Amino acid sequence: MRRSKLFNQTRASLALSYAGVMGVILSLLGFGVYEAIAHAHWMTLDRELESVAGTLHDSLELKLKQPGNLEPIVYELLPNLCLVETNCVRAETNRGRHVLSAIKQDNYYIRLFDTSGHLIAIAGTYPEGLSEDFDDKLWQTLSDRQGNVYHQISLDLHTQDKQPWGYFQVGRSLKDFENYLNRVKYTLVLGLPISMILVGGASWWLAGLAMQPIYKSYKQIEQFTADAAHELRTPLAASLATVESALLLSEINDREARDVLTTIERQHRRLTQLVADLLLLARMDRQPTPLHHQCCLNDLVSDLVEELAALAIAAKLMLALEIRTKIPLQVLGDEDQLYRLVTNLIVNAIQSTPANGKVTVILEQSDRHAVIEIRDTGIGIAASEQQRIFDRFYRVEGDRSRTSGGSGLGLAIAMAIARTHHGNLTVQSELGKGSTFIIQLPLAFASKPKVKYRQYSGETTTKMK
Ligand code: ADP
């Protein structure tokens, strides 16, 4: 279906954009995490080397007497120390033995150079193939012939009497460090596609969730358009049918012509009313009603009950007004709209109440609100219908308004007017017993009711015929 295709396409593109953005964010985050871990490890490594080198350096300097000469005590400090000329570097016995038992690592090495930078002795796990040239840079990272990388620190060595003895280097292989970083890298690299699959799924779900209200309002607009077209078509078709049947007559007398015109006029009035209602709803949707004018609800309900008295009389029922407040209740808003709101409810009540019934309009104050109740003893509304009756074009099944010319917009307009006036419209009803529609509107100035109990200050009653 085209509609769901559009919905799915939009959902997919939303999900893709979201997943793309999340992918970039996650990649950057992964890269940042990797860099932070690498940096933290590097710092720890430097500190470790620095501390080992510092400790050894201080211990050695205390023992050294002659420049370039290794005192026997140095062999005690570094038990596997080996002079370069003895070619002990490759001796198997030296492998695996580590001098720095204090740090429990077997990947450290120590190198001692004389003042002219010649390698004199080595200790620890000596990296074979590492250049023996001395470089006096404090920190160095170098690789051997096999491509193994080492990190080392070089320090000056002095004799006990502060003469330069030579140089001293402590270094370590970066193999375990690199292995660790590789593991982190692989975890992040493998984790990214897995996270992307999860993000993709979550994006699809979230995009669906975000599309729900749009889809709902899209469906509502679609339904509204179909309903509006249907409602417009009915009077148009009726007018057309009337004109066509009149044209089929060979002759038409005055009376028949008048009948045709009356039918067309009635259908046109219905059409005009429908279009006016649609425009009113569209206007209220588009822009808020300016709430500048004060409107006295006492006058409004009195006028309306008077105006609709004839309708009630025609329907053979009683229309009563109870104003239960002594002070005029003022609200801010559009007087025409407020008239429309109350009219719709009273007319509905009259139309839904069988002969001999009663419709009562009550005006009272409740806290900071004016309350208008329209009660009827009519047919009532089933609980399942009570929310839906406020939907545009919704009519209760078997309702008389189809025959009475209602379009199902009356309550939708009433609700829109109440809401635009920062008020509310609710219904209480029992099938077969009657309904009460309650309008609540905020008062222009919240005046306290003068009397605490309910006052019946006026009643206009239209007696049934
Ligand atoms: P319409 O403009 O066709 O009257 P409304 O939006 O005013 O439509 O009303 C929606 C539905 O609610 C109608 O089917 C109507 O029968 C029902 N309804 C409204 N007021 C009452 C009432 N007081 N008692 C029973 N049914 C009512």
Side-chain angles (χ1 to χ4, degrees):
M1 211 170 23
R2 223 179 110 239
R3 185 182 58 209
S4 64
K5 199 175 154 199
L6 175 73
F7 175 72
N8 282 336
Q9 270 173 358
T10 317
R11 186 181 178 182
S13 69
L14 251 178
L16 264 175
S17 323
Y18 182 69
V21 171
M22 282 306 285
V24 173
I25 293 173
L26 280 178
S27 309
L28 288 174
L29 205 74
F31 181 71
V33 167
Y34 176 79
E35 283 294 306
I37 291 176
H39 182 73
H41 264 72
W42 193 252
M43 297 298 287
T44 317
L45 203 120
D46 277 5
R47 252 181 272 128
E48 210 174 86
L49 271 177
E50 216 166 30
S51 118
V52 171
T55 315
L56 277 172
H57 174 268
D58 293 352
S59 320
L60 282 172
E61 280 201 340
L62 286 174
K63 315 285 177 200
L64 298 171
K65 289 180 184 148
Q66 249 191 312
N69 187 32
L70 286 166
E71 318 299 329
I73 189 96
V74 175
Y75 289 90
E76 279 173 35
L77 267 174
L78 306 166
N80 66 348
L81 188 72
C82 174
L83 291 178
V84 170
E85 61 246 26
T86 62
N87 201 22
C88 60
V89 173
R90 285 160 192 89
E92 273 307 309
T93 47
N94 241 6
R95 285 182 170 261
R97 283 206 282 145
H98 60 87
V99 62
L100 304 163
S101 53
I103 53 163
K104 301 247 185 308
Q105 298 272 355
D106 62 358
N107 50 2
Y108 274 73
Y109 64 86
I110 291 152
R111 300 200 290 182
L112 293 162
F113 295 85
D114 63 14
T115 43
S116 51
H118 289 121
L119 183 63
I120 304 173
I122 53 171
T125 312
Y126 187 67
E128 282 183 53
L130 195 66
S131 162
E132 290 176 4
D133 296 337
F134 178 71
D135 189 334
D136 64 352
K137 263 194 240 123
L138 182 65
W139 288 105
Q140 288 168 63
T141 304
L142 22 121
S143 24
D144 66 10
R145 284 195 291 266
Q146 277 90 47
N148 299 317
V149 187
Y150 299 88
H151 191 51
Q152 65 181 31
I153 182 168
S154 305
L155 300 172
D156 294 348
L157 267 182
H158 296 90
T159 58
Q160 287 167 341
D161 49 3
K162 305 288 174 221
Q163 283 184 57
W165 184 93
Y167 305 98
F168 160 76
Q169 282 181 337
V170 178
R172 59 164 288 173
S173 155
L174 292 183
K175 210 174 184 73
D176 58 339
F177 175 74
E178 281 177 341
N179 284 346
Y180 175 74
L181 281 189
N182 278 340
R183 274 204 304 279
V184 173
K185 203 187 305 176
Y186 291 136
T187 311
L188 288 173
V189 166
L190 279 177
L192 189 68
I194 295 171
S195 324
M196 283 315 296
I197 291 170
L198 293 177
V199 165
S203 309
W204 177 253
W205 178 71
L206 279 176
L209 219 62
M211 293 289 295
Q212 281 303 316
I214 299 166
Y215 187 49
K216 208 172 144 198
S217 80
Y218 178 84
K219 282 188 83 175
Q220 271 171 355
I221 292 168
E222 208 179 46
Q223 182 66 43
F224 178 76
T225 315
D227 289 343
H230 178 78
E231 291 297 330
L232 289 167
R233 200 181 57 186
T234 311
L236 279 173
S239 303
L240 189 65
T242 314
V243 173
E244 276 173 354
S245 56
L247 286 174
L248 283 177
L249 299 171
S250 51
E251 260 175 38
I252 188 161
N253 61 32
D254 268 6
R255 222 179 96 91
E256 285 165 338
R258 192 161 286 279
D259 283 350
V260 168
L261 287 175
T262 311
T263 311
I264 293 172
E265 190 208 14
R266 196 174 56 244
Q267 298 303 343
H268 275 240
R269 280 195 193 287
R270 201 175 157 184
L271 263 178
T272 311
Q273 185 59 48
L274 187 63
V275 172
D277 287 354
L278 288 173
L279 285 174
L280 176 67
L281 277 171
R283 203 171 58 236
M284 281 193 289
D285 280 348
R286 224 178 28 244
Q287 65 201 44
T289 306
L291 306 177
H292 302 314
H293 300 290
Q294 282 210 2
C295 175
C296 176
L297 292 181
N298 305 47
D299 296 345
L300 187 143
V301 289
S302 307
D303 287 357
L304 275 177
V305 167
E306 224 173 281
E307 277 171 31
L308 295 169
L311 194 67
I313 290 166
K316 296 186 172 52
L317 48 90
M318 183 192 280
L319 176 63
L321 172 67
E322 290 177 21
I323 297 182
R324 299 175 178 179
T325 168
K326 275 195 167 170
I327 52 162
L329 298 182
Q330 305 275 0
V331 294
L332 285 179
D334 181 311
E335 201 173 39
D336 289 343
Q337 286 190 10
L338 290 172
Y339 263 91
R340 182 74 197 277
L341 161 62
V342 184
T343 307
N344 281 4
L345 297 180
I346 300 177
V347 169
N348 273 351
I350 293 174
Q351 284 177 349
S352 308
T353 306
N356 300 331
K358 185 178 179 184
V359 173
T360 316
V361 180
I362 302 160
L363 174 69
E364 62 188 342
Q365 183 177 352
S366 162
D367 199 18
R368 288 163 176 264
H369 286 85
V371 178
I372 306 170
E373 281 185 26
I374 295 100
R375 284 186 195 165
D376 66 60
T377 56
I379 53 172
I381 305 156
S384 56
E385 308 268 18
Q386 284 176 21
Q387 275 315 305
R388 303 195 63 194
I389 52 169
F390 296 101
D391 291 349
R392 292 172 187 190
F393 294 113
Y394 186 80
R395 282 178 293 204
V396 175
E397 203 59 41
D399 163 45
R400 290 189 303 165
S401 67
R402 270 180 205 279
T403 45
S404 64
S407 58
L409 286 176
L411 287 179
I413 290 172
M415 179 64 94
I417 296 173
R419 293 247 167 98
T420 210
H421 284 77
H422 307 303
N424 200 10
L425 172 62
T426 50
V427 63
Q428 292 166 358
S429 184
E430 208 179 319
L431 208 54
K433 290 204 170 156
S435 314
T436 304
F437 283 82
I438 304 157
I439 308 164
Q440 272 197 313
L441 295 169
L443 286 168
F445 47 89
S447 51
K448 279 192 175 169
K450 283 192 179 139
V451 275
K452 289 214 169 107
Y453 51 89
R454 286 186 162 187
Q455 279 261 339
Y456 292 74
S457 72
E459 181 168 322
T460 310
T461 305
T462 309
K463 288 257 157 61
M464 53 188 174
K465 267 190 167 175

